[in-house]
Amino acid sequence: MSIRPFAWLMIGLGILLPIMGWQVASPAGFVGPALILLGTLLLVTRRGR
């Protein structure tokens, strides 16, 4: 898996985890925004094509 699909997967999980985390009152609601941030940073800073 290359960086671009991995970054999009992290962003997708980051969107889903807060929704699921708030329903079950777990720390997943706080991990989601961090994954969105990391995925965005990967997309912005990736090298190559």
Side-chain angles (χ1 to χ4, degrees), residues 24-46:
V24 296
S26 73
F30 299 104
V31 174
L35 285 176
I36 292 171
L37 178 65
L38 288 174
T40 304
L41 286 173
L42 277 174
L43 286 176
V44 170
T45 60
R46 69 184 178 97

Side-chain angles (χ1 to χ4, degrees), residues 1-11 39 42-43 46 49:
M1 175 182 285
S2 66
I3 294 297
R4 190 170 193 182
F6 180 70
W8 282 113
L9 181 66
M10 285 179 65
I11 292 171
L42 277 174
L43 286 176
R46 69 184 178 97
R49 299 176 188 183

Side-chain angles (χ1 to χ4, degrees), residues 16-32:
L16 287 177
L17 280 177
I19 296 168
M20 295 172 69
W22 288 324
Q23 291 175 355
V24 296
S26 73
F30 299 104
V31 174

